[in-house]
């Protein structure tokens, strides 16, 4: 039988010690060199073991300071559903809102941005065709919980009041309502979720560690003619949010007598 990788065995032992409370929340662990000597393994093995525990959310590394037991963070459920397309009303009572769902956001839009090749393919336009590119940072209880980068072809919205998603009469109303106002009816939303690891930029914005597990959702919205009208890349930190997809079931039509 194949032997377990040495770093995984060390990971399991360290995890057990952390969960047993040998080091308290926020307490610094001994240096990697000292732990490597204690377990009789190389420093690279210990480095991989501690990196694994950082990814698992038990530890956090602080540049120039060391590795610490991480403060537990509540992992809240985020439901994605065709019935929940409109954003949360920030004036609603907290007990009536879905816990952990973003109630505020920051955004920045740029117009006439040439579409990168991958984005152009998703929007069924030519590479370099002009788009509106918007970056979002979503917040829940003042904490960053989601990033999103959206692309909309300017061929659809140029010269209309909705060219900027977060400005104008329908600012913040979402793609469905904005497009409907200019006669574009949305019929389909396609989402492709994939696990990924946080990049340096994403980690800085979300307040997590580089390499932490995130869910990357590639979303594309189509009108009734099958034309893509918006595509976006959403990044959700796994340590904070559990993403659940909710589907409605079409009711059967009653039989005619």
């Amino acid at each position: 039988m194949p032997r377990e990788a040495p770093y995984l065995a060390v990971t399991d032992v360290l995890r057990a010690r952390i969960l047993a409370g040998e080091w308290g929340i926020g307490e610094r662990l001994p240096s990697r060199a000292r732990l490597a000597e204690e377990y009789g393994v190389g420093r690279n093995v210990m480095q991989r073991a501690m990196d694994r525990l950082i990814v698992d959310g038990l530890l956090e590394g602080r540049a120039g300071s060391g590795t610490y037991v991480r403060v537990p963070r509540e992992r809240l459920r985020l439901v994605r559903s065709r019935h929940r397309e409109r954003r949360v009303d920030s004036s609603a009572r907290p007990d009536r809102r879905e816990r952990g769902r973003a109630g505020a956001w920051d955004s920045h839009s740029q117009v006439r941005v040439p579409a990168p090749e991958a984005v152009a393919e998703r929007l069924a336009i030519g590479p370099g065709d002009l788009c509106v590119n918007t970056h979002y940072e979503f917040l829940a209880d003042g904490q960053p919980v989601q990033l999103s980068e959206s692309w909309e072809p300017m061929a659809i919205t140029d010269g209309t009041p909705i060219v900027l998603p977060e400005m104008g009469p329908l600012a913040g109303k979402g793609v469905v309502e904005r497009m409907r106002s200019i006669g574009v009816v949305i019929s389909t939303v396609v989402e492709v979720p994939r696990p990924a690891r946080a990049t340096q930029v994403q980690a800085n914005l979300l307040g997590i560690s580089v390499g932490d597990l995130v869910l990357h959702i590639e979303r594309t919205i189509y009108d009734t003619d099958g034309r893509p009208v918006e595509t976006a890349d959403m990044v959700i930190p796994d340590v904070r949010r559990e993403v659940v997809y909710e589907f409605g079931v079409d009711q059967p039509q009653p039989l005619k007598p």
Side-chain angles (χ1 to χ4, degrees):
M1 294 180 62
R3 293 180 57 190
E4 183 180 46
Y7 86 93
L8 291 176
V10 175
T11 300
D12 290 340
V13 175
L14 282 177
R15 180 184 289 109
R17 293 175 68 180
I18 293 167
L19 295 177
E22 184 169 338
W23 297 287
I25 299 298
E27 184 176 346
R28 186 175 67 176
L29 269 65
S31 68
R32 286 172 169 79
R34 180 176 167 186
L35 286 172
E37 183 178 353
E38 178 181 341
Y39 285 102
V41 298
R43 294 191 183 186
N44 288 341
V45 171
M46 184 55 63
Q47 177 75 50
R48 291 191 66 187
M50 296 184 82
D51 285 348
R52 178 64 177 263
L53 292 172
I54 289 174
V55 169
D56 289 346
L58 289 178
L59 299 177
E60 62 179 349
R62 300 178 188 174
S65 178
T67 306
Y68 294 76
V69 179
R70 191 175 207 167
V71 177
R73 295 171 177 169
E74 185 181 8
R75 193 166 182 256
L76 300 176
R77 174 168 289 195
L78 173 65
V79 178
R80 300 193 63 76
S81 166
R82 67 177 182 177
H83 304 295
R84 303 190 184 199
E85 292 175 343
R86 290 190 298 175
R87 292 181 179 163
V88 172
D89 178 1
S90 60
S91 65
R93 286 175 49 187
D95 60 341
R96 292 184 179 176
R97 286 185 282 158
E98 179 185 328
R99 294 182 67 231
R101 190 169 175 85
W105 60 91
D106 292 325
S107 65
H108 175 68
S109 294
Q110 290 182 289
V111 298
R112 304 193 182 282
V113 179
E117 185 173 350
V119 170
E121 183 176 353
R122 285 157 57 176
L123 289 173
I125 59 178
D129 283 2
L130 300 181
C131 294
V132 175
N133 178 221
T134 305
H135 290 264
Y136 293 91
E137 296 177 39
F138 293 91
L139 307 172
D141 300 323
Q143 177 178 265
V145 292
Q146 181 178 321
L147 305 175
S148 181
E149 182 179 12
S150 165
W151 296 82
E152 294 182 358
M154 291 202 68
I156 298 175
T157 61
D158 197 14
T160 73
I162 67 159
V163 66
L164 295 175
E166 302 301 325
M167 295 184 67
L170 294 178
K173 295 297 185 180
V175 177
V176 175
E177 288 191 41
R178 289 176 49 248
M179 291 295 173
R180 185 186 296 123
S181 73
I182 60 172
V184 177
V185 179
I186 301 303
S187 65
T188 309
V189 179
V190 176
E191 292 191 352
V192 182
R194 300 185 181 94
R197 298 293 180 183
T199 65
Q200 182 70 66
V201 172
Q202 292 167 350
N204 290 344
L205 291 172
L206 291 168
I208 59 178
S209 299
V210 176
D212 273 5
L213 185 64
V214 297
L215 182 66
H216 172 216
I217 301 176
E218 178 187 301
R219 181 191 73 191
T220 304
I221 298 178
Y222 299 84
D223 67 10
T224 51
D225 293 327
R227 175 182 57 170
V229 301
E230 188 255 14
T231 194
D233 292 286
M234 295 173 281
V235 177
I236 302 170
D238 182 78
V239 71
R240 294 188 189 153
R241 312 258 271 197
E242 176 187 47
V243 179
V244 176
Y245 282 83
E246 179 183 276
F247 299 93
V249 177
D250 293 333
Q251 297 299 314
Q253 297 296 319
L255 296 176
K256 294 181 179 181

